[in-house]
Amino acid sequence: MHINFKYYNQNQTVLFPYSFEELIPDNHPVRIVNDILERINIAPLLKAYSKEGNPSYHPVMMLKVMVFAYMNNIYSSRKIEKALRENINFMWLSNMSIVDHNTVNRFRAHKLEAAFKDIFSQVVLLLAEEGLVSLRQVFVDGTKIEAQANRYTFVWANAIKTNKEKMLRQLEELWKYAQSVAREEDKDPEPPEFKEISKEKIRQTVESINAKLKGSDGKTDADKKAKAKLNYIKNNFEKNLGKYEVQEAVLAERNSYSKTDEDATFMRMKDDHMMNGQLKPAYNAQISTENQFIVNYTIHQETNDFNTLEHHLENFKKLYGEKRWAKLEELTADAGYGSEQNYELLEQNQITPFVKYNTFDKEQDAHYQAKHKTFSKGNLHYNKEEDFYVCPMGQKMEKTHESTRKTKTGYPQRLSHYQAKNCDGCPIRGVCHSSKENRSIERNHHLEDYKEKIRELLKSEEGIKKRKQRSVEVEPVFAHLKHCNNFKRFTLKGLKKVELEFGLHALAHNLRKKVA
């Protein structure tokens, strides 16, 4: 039986060699990447290159290759080198230039770092020209991404504090023992204050203890233990304190860091498929989106979101300039950003804040309201003209004093304190409050005024629309990055390099969405 097959001969010669232009469709994503990146100004990128030495690969070609690699979930420099040798799309972009993985790594780690945010903003502005984004309204959210660091080599601020306190106790105990064995006339009239440890205090205290212990015969077990402890303190305490001082300098305001990436902070990650919520070295990535395009991104070492907003908005201003910043009209975010400082920041910049405060969702719960309505301090009647509250039994709660406290960022909050005059014998005292004294409350009136405005705004027709829209704006972007693109852990180390890596993912996401 004869079977017909199409002609096949690997050794067949052709009159004209095949062209990549014929092999790559007109609407292929690689052509979109090529067209967009050809339109940007690369002057900031050129500053990273030296006029001396051997000629470098063209930065535009390297940028195209890098961005297209991230669009195709290729992050390893060795895999990028392999694609340049085997993939016709990469071969077309590079014009058949075979770039080794070390050159790819150097471009990403050193050449691209300083200029990348400028490149990112230029691409977003091109999207704005096409009407895909307006940069007038943004949706903000954050996610924690694991760092490229060992999960089990860590430094904790609380552990340093505990160890320093332990060192002080040991010094004080040894001092007291030395006092007890010294002759009466040798005792110091004023013992050193054991409140704060320092190298000078360790040195002075050790010398004093050593002088007192010389007078003992050294024959008792207690004497031997004391001298052994003194030798340990002499050999280790100053060295350990020096190590703690270096670690505290690295920590700054943080509570922890990883020894294998000192910029990474240990953060509580969400439960995995085995329901294992763990503390892991990570970074807090913040993004602003519009129509699911990422228009702004920043990387933070703080574990919570509300301390990140000011820096995040400053970055928006740097990316797009004062004119674009002045046109930013609305910001939508969840309760993680609802703080007095953030509300004031948005008000000062004339940005409408569709930003929940921490109890907004509970207030919408009828069961919660029924349970807490009567005795909650938020539901006590307040007489604004005469500045007093009324308790559930109708007793006047007058202002006793005002106080100021500062947040972690240094923002001052002004608090007013009120107290009832007599709760003795009140029939509802047990359910009203648990204090042994008369009931007292503190209120931040500035924050309460913001909450009232926010409550009205979020319950409006526009506010309801924004709340619904938020869940389909930012969260799907993180889902694409983490699950579709398998970006669950950084591959680079250090805050600046991590920010660059996230930026490459953000730019690749935008171009991928434009193509789609």
Side-chain angles (χ1 to χ4, degrees), residues 90-108:
F90 283 88
M91 294 163 77
W92 178 74
L93 273 181
S94 67
N95 195 28
M96 289 295 292
S97 296
I98 306 300
V99 186
D100 68 275
H101 63 274
N102 288 321
T103 305
V104 171
N105 236 356
R106 281 194 298 271
F107 177 78
R108 176 169 50 188

Side-chain angles (χ1 to χ4, degrees), residues 306-307 338-344 402-417 442-448 450-451:
F306 62 80
N307 287 335
S339 70
E340 181 185 0
Q341 183 177 1
N342 288 340
Y343 291 139
E344 186 175 283
E402 291 185 348
S403 64
T404 302
R405 68 182 175 204
K406 289 188 176 181
T407 64
K408 188 178 178 181
T409 59
Y411 179 81
Q413 294 180 317
R414 190 173 180 180
L415 305 173
S416 297
H417 299 260
E442 64 175 33
R443 296 304 295 266
N444 182 339
H445 289 294
H446 191 220
L447 177 59
E448 293 302 319
Y450 278 131
K451 283 184 176 180

Side-chain angles (χ1 to χ4, degrees), residues 321-511:
E322 290 286 348
K323 288 185 179 179
R324 289 280 182 179
W325 165 249
K327 292 180 180 179
L328 181 60
E329 298 171 354
E330 298 173 354
L331 185 144
T332 306
D334 63 16
Y337 301 86
S339 70
E340 181 185 0
Q341 183 177 1
N342 288 340
Y343 291 139
E344 186 175 283
L345 172 69
L346 294 170
E347 182 183 58
Q348 288 172 349
N349 290 284
Q350 299 179 336
I351 300 171
T352 305
F354 294 96
V355 182
K356 295 178 185 177
Y357 48 88
N358 58 350
T359 57
F360 177 81
D361 286 330
K362 287 182 178 179
E363 290 175 5
Q364 314 315 307
D365 186 343
H367 295 291
Y368 178 86
Q369 281 295 311
K371 183 177 179 181
H372 296 275
K373 184 174 182 180
T374 305
F375 304 108
S376 170
K377 68 178 182 180
N379 287 292
L380 297 180
H381 173 71
Y382 175 62
N383 187 313
K384 193 171 184 178
E385 289 74 21
E386 299 183 34
D387 194 14
F388 68 84
Y389 278 88
V390 179
C391 81
M393 283 296 289
Q395 184 182 171
K396 184 186 287 188
M397 301 177 69
E398 295 182 342
K399 183 192 285 188
T400 57
H401 64 285
E402 291 185 348
S403 64
T404 302
R405 68 182 175 204
K406 289 188 176 181
T407 64
K408 188 178 178 181
T409 59
Y411 179 81
Q413 294 180 317
R414 190 173 180 180
L415 305 173
S416 297
H417 299 260
Y418 302 83
Q419 189 171 34
K421 290 183 178 178
N422 185 15
C423 291
D424 293 340
C426 178
I428 62 172
R429 176 172 183 165
V431 291
C432 182
H433 68 100
S434 57
S435 172
K436 293 181 181 179
E437 307 294 332
N438 294 328
R439 181 174 182 180
S440 61
I441 60 172
E442 64 175 33
R443 296 304 295 266
N444 182 339
H445 289 294
H446 191 220
L447 177 59
E448 293 302 319
D449 289 342
Y450 278 131
K451 283 184 176 180
E452 190 174 336
K453 293 175 185 176
I454 296 297
R455 191 182 299 115
E456 187 177 334
L457 186 63
L458 292 175
K459 286 185 174 181
S460 68
E461 187 176 337
E462 183 66 15
I464 294 169
K465 178 184 173 184
K466 292 290 181 183
R467 280 190 281 150
K468 290 178 179 177
Q469 194 176 350
R470 191 196 69 81
S471 62
V472 296
E473 259 287 344
V474 192
E475 291 171 14
V477 174
F478 284 136
H480 276 287
L481 290 174
K482 287 187 171 183
H483 302 290
C484 299
N485 306 328
N486 199 30
F487 176 39
K488 297 177 182 177
R489 194 181 191 200
F490 287 106
T491 59
L492 303 179
K493 294 183 180 182
L495 187 60
K496 288 185 177 180
K497 286 184 170 56
V498 158
E499 189 169 50
L500 169 64
E501 183 177 359
F502 189 89
L504 282 165
H505 280 282
L507 181 55
H509 167 84
N510 287 348
L511 294 179

Side-chain angles (χ1 to χ4, degrees), residues 287-306:
I287 63 170
S288 295
T289 68
E290 185 181 0
N291 297 329
Q292 294 187 358
F293 287 98
I294 300 173
V295 298
N296 184 22
Y297 68 91
T298 48
I299 303 295
H300 303 264
Q301 296 170 296
E302 292 89 352
T303 56
N304 57 52
D305 288 337
F306 62 80

Side-chain angles (χ1 to χ4, degrees), residues 146-184:
E146 190 176 352
Q148 181 64 261
N150 193 313
R151 301 172 185 175
Y152 308 106
T153 56
F154 40 74
V155 174
W156 290 91
N158 285 339
I160 294 173
K161 182 182 176 184
T162 301
N163 289 340
K164 288 170 75 172
E165 289 172 352
K166 186 178 178 182
M167 289 164 68
L168 273 174
R169 283 199 305 272
Q170 289 176 325
L171 274 174
E172 188 174 13
E173 288 169 4
L174 194 57
W175 170 267
K176 288 178 180 177
Y177 177 78
Q179 286 282 70
S180 69
V181 299
R183 294 193 304 275
E184 189 70 31

